[in-house]
Amino acid sequence: MAEIVHPLRRSVFRGVAGQCPACGKGPLFWRYLKVNGRCETCEAELSLYPADDGPAYLTILVMGHLVVAPMLFFPIVWRSNPAYSLPIILTTLALITLMVLPRIKGGWIGMMYSLGVKSTDAHLHTADAAE
Ligand SMILES: [Zn+2]
């Protein structure tokens, strides 16, 4: 069980807002999903905290459960001509996904920061130790 090194909620919310989880002032990303190596404001080493595939999986989970599944309950989705509705629906889903992904990645990095999980801790993964 990981110990909480920094306040979890504060770190996650700062990450979701795209800010440094340590100070909440510097930007977390320098491009769409590229994490700043070091915070411009507080010099926190942000590149140490891994995201890997976690944000992508969580984005799929969130989009599937909170957007796609509820959308299927609306009869207009089933009754409309797919030639018109499919491009609109898929474009909308893609845009929502692209807006959600950096927020989830920021929150994920905030959670890693809060728990003190660094990319150098990869050797502690139990799945790798079994080999
Ligand atoms: Zn900072």
Side-chain angles (χ1 to χ4, degrees):
M1 184 85 179
E3 293 180 29
I4 294 182
V5 179
H6 303 282
L8 180 64
R9 185 180 304 171
R10 186 186 72 191
S11 301
V12 170
F13 281 140
R14 284 177 176 174
V16 168
Q19 299 167 331
C20 166
C23 66
K25 294 176 184 160
L28 180 59
F29 301 109
W30 63 276
R31 292 184 70 182
Y32 177 61
L33 288 176
K34 299 287 185 188
V35 177
N36 270 327
R38 182 180 297 262
C39 176
E40 299 168 358
T41 308
C42 70
E43 301 291 320
E45 195 70 43
L46 299 174
S47 62
L48 291 176
Y49 303 100
D52 298 333
D53 295 335
Y57 289 127
L58 194 57
T59 301
I60 292 168
L61 184 78
V62 166
M63 288 298 294
H65 285 83
L66 298 182
V67 179
V68 175
M71 180 185 69
L72 297 178
F73 285 106
F74 291 97
I76 191 170
V77 172
W78 300 104
R79 292 183 187 153
S80 62
N81 185 348
Y84 300 115
S85 63
L86 216 52
I88 293 170
I89 291 171
L90 292 179
T91 303
T92 306
L93 287 176
L95 291 175
I96 294 172
T97 302
L98 291 174
M99 288 187 324
V100 167
L101 182 57
R103 282 149 182 84
I104 288 181
K105 183 172 182 176
W108 188 277
I109 290 173
M111 182 180 70
M112 294 293 127
Y113 173 80
S114 171
L115 297 175
V117 176
K118 298 178 179 170
S119 45
T120 55
D121 298 334
H123 67 282
L124 299 175
H125 293 180
T126 54
D128 297 338
E131 294 176 358

